[in-house]
Amino acid sequence: MHTKTLVFAGLFLVEVTLGAATAFAQPKPAGQVWVASWGASQQIPETRNELPPDDLRDATVRQIVRLSVVGSALRVHITNTFGTDPLRFTAIHVARPVSIAGSAIDSATDKALTFSGSTAVTVPAGAEVISDPVEDTVAPLTSWAITYHLMEPPTPETSHPGSRATTYYMHGDFVGAADLAGAKTVEHWYQLSGIDVLAPADAAALVVLGDSITDGHATTTNGNNRWTDVLAERLQASAAGKNIAVINVGTGGNHLLTDGLGPNALARFDRDVLARAGVRWLMVLEGVNDLGGLAHANEAAPAADHAALVSRMLMAYAQVIERAHAHGIEAIGATLTPYGGSMYAHAPGFDQDRQAINAWIRAPGHFDAVVDFDKAIADPAEPNRMLPADDCGDHLHPNPAGYKAMGEAVPVILFTR
C-alpha cells in the first residue's frame, strides 16, 4: 500500500491511499443490490420549524425528494426516531410528481406502500421502518412524491428542517389525490429519512456528513443545487459513475462535538452513515460551527482553550475514520471552507484553528483521500475569505455559484478508481 498525490486543475489536492480500495471493497453479489438513493438526517425540529400538532391531526402530508441512481424497485424509510410514543400511519403512497415545485402527482404512477403486506404501519417510539419493495422503473436524478396520512400527530415530530423543498399538508385522507389543492406549505421534511433502490450489482453510495454548507443553506428552494446535487449530476454524466448515489446528511447548525441543531456528528453517525444501504464512501465536511462557536462565545478565549478544542476535534475526525473503516467504508476528508468576515470571525487570530484543522485533514495517514474545498472557493487575495462571487452574503455560506464550484471540485476518480 502506498500514497500518491493527485493534482486537479491546480485547484485542490487529493491524497489517495492506493491499495485501500481493495481492502475496503464490499462483496458484489450477482444480480442487484439495495442501495440508498436519497436520505436526510433527522432531529427534533426547533419551535419555529415544527408544525402545530393540530395541523397533523387527521392530516395528509406530501413531500418531494430527488433520487440519485437507477433502479428497478424502491423502498421507503419512515421514521419516528425522536418520537416518545408509537406513531401510526394509516396509509403511505409513492408517485412521480408532475413538477418538483407543486403538489400534483401523475396518478398513473401512484402506488400504495405496504409494510409486511399491510398498508398501515405503526412505528415504535425511537424506531424506523422500511416499506416492502415497490417494483418500478426508477430513472436517475428523478423526483418522487411520498404521501402519508396520520390520524394523530407525532409526539414530538421527527424532522429534517433544511429540506430546501416544499412540503404540502392538509386535513383529511388524500394520499391518492392527484393534487392537494388548497394545502398549506412548509419548507421542511417530516418523518421521512431515506429511499433505497434495487440497483445494478456494482452500485454503491457516498454519504456526506456535514453541517449547513452541505445541507444547502442559501440554495434555491426546489432547485436541487446543493454541492452534493452538483456532484450527483457529475457522476451521472460519467460512464463509470452512473451507479454511484450521493446521500446528503448535512444538518444545519450541526457540530462535531456538541449538540447544536440536531445531535452532534458522533452521536448521529451510526444512524446517518452506517445504517444506509450500500455505503462504500463517507465524506466529512464538518467543524466550522465548533470553531466558530468558541470565537463567537468568547472573543478573548485563551490560546489553551483553542488548542484544546482543536485537539478534541481531531479526536472526533479520528473516531469517524475508525468507525467507517470498521464497516469497510473509505473515509474522505474535506477541508473547512473560509469564513472571514462572518459572525464567527470577530476574535483575533480567528483563522488559526481552521488552518490547523485543515493541515491535519490534508496530512497523509489520516483520511483515505482529501477534497480541498478550502482552496476551491477561497479568495486568493484574502485566503481566509470566500471569493466574493461564491459568497451568499453572510461570508460563511456559499451561494449557488459557490456550491457549484464545490461540487465540481470533487474528483470523480475517487469513486471510480
Side-chain angles (χ1 to χ4, degrees):
M1 187 177 296
H2 61 285
T3 299
K4 181 178 179 180
T5 301
L6 306 179
V7 179
F8 293 79
L11 289 178
F12 47 85
L13 178 70
V14 179
E15 294 287 348
V16 180
T17 305
L18 301 179
T22 300
F24 298 135
Q26 297 175 344
K28 299 186 181 68
Q32 296 178 302
V33 294
W34 284 107
V35 173
S37 191
W38 173 84
S41 61
Q42 304 297 312
Q43 66 181 77
I44 299 173
E46 309 90 338
T47 301
R48 69 179 185 276
N49 293 327
E50 67 181 355
L51 292 177
D54 281 346
D55 282 356
L56 290 174
R57 196 178 309 280
D58 183 20
T60 295
V61 180
R62 179 167 291 170
Q63 308 178 87
I64 299 173
V65 302
R66 187 172 79 158
L67 277 60
S68 296
V69 294
V70 69
S72 60
L74 58 79
R75 61 187 188 184
V76 177
H77 294 241
I78 300 297
T79 181
N80 191 25
T81 296
F82 295 99
T84 55
D85 294 313
L87 181 62
R88 180 172 174 79
F89 296 78
T90 65
I92 308 174
H93 283 208
V94 63
R96 291 294 311 279
V98 173
S99 164
I100 62 173
S103 66
I105 60 170
D106 177 356
S107 294
T109 68
D110 183 57
K111 296 182 179 180
L113 295 179
T114 60
F115 297 81
S116 297
S118 173
T119 55
V121 63
T122 298
V123 186
E128 176 175 297
V129 296
I130 306 174
S131 73
D132 301 331
V134 172
E135 291 188 7
D136 210 324
T137 300
V138 181
L141 302 178
T142 53
S143 294
W144 292 76
I146 294 84
T147 309
Y148 61 73
H149 176 257
L150 298 170
M151 283 305 300
E152 300 294 332
T155 54
E157 295 162 18
T158 295
S159 170
H160 182 85
S163 67
R164 277 88 203 180
T166 305
T167 288
Y168 306 86
Y169 62 102
M170 63 191 303
H171 287 300
D173 185 348
F174 298 100
V175 290
D179 198 1
L180 299 183
K184 296 180 180 180
T185 63
V186 66
E187 292 179 12
H188 314 301
W189 287 312
Y190 299 93
Q191 316 298 150
L192 180 64
S193 61
I195 300 180
D196 306 330
V197 299
L198 191 58
D202 64 345
L206 159 69
V207 173
V208 183
L209 186 69
D211 50 36
S212 58
I213 293 175
T214 295
D215 202 16
H217 179 88
T219 55
T220 308
T221 299
N222 301 319
N224 290 317
N225 52 4
R226 311 164 190 85
W227 72 260
T228 52
D229 297 317
V230 174
L231 176 57
E233 291 162 3
R234 291 180 60 228
L235 287 166
Q236 283 302 312
S238 164
K242 288 183 178 298
N243 291 328
I244 299 170
V246 181
I247 310 303
N248 183 331
V249 292
T251 302
N254 203 230
H255 295 205
L256 274 173
L257 299 172
T258 56
D259 292 351
L261 300 182
N264 67 78
L266 292 181
R268 65 188 181 94
F269 188 84
D270 287 9
R271 178 176 65 249
D272 283 342
V273 179
L274 300 183
R276 307 283 176 183
V279 179
R280 195 175 301 157
W281 303 275
L282 163 70
M283 190 183 302
V284 183
L285 175 59
E286 187 137 25
V288 165
N289 291 318
D290 298 77
L291 295 178
L294 174 61
H296 193 58
N298 183 3
E299 294 183 12
D305 288 359
H306 286 268
L309 174 61
V310 169
S311 178
R312 291 178 61 220
M313 289 176 64
L314 298 183
M315 178 277 294
Y317 290 127
Q319 286 288 310
V320 164
I321 294 167
E322 185 69 22
R323 289 165 72 177
H325 285 179
H327 291 265
I329 299 170
E330 290 194 45
I332 302 168
T335 54
L336 302 182
T337 51
Y339 51 86
S342 75
M343 64 178 183
Y344 285 162
H346 300 305
F350 73 90
D351 204 43
Q352 294 176 358
D353 296 344
R354 184 181 72 93
Q355 295 292 358
I357 293 290
N358 283 350
W360 189 92
I361 291 172
R362 292 182 181 115
H366 298 144
F367 285 99
D368 302 305
V370 174
V371 175
D372 209 331
F373 286 140
D374 176 25
K375 292 183 179 178
I377 65 171
D379 185 347
E382 293 186 86
N384 64 14
R385 288 177 175 259
M386 266 186 283
L387 282 164
D390 292 340
D391 191 339
C392 81
D394 67 4
H395 313 303
L396 176 62
H397 299 93
N399 58 23
Y403 287 123
K404 185 173 187 292
M406 291 175 65
E408 291 177 346
V410 182
V412 170
I413 194 175
L414 289 178
F415 315 106
T416 60
R417 58 187 169 85

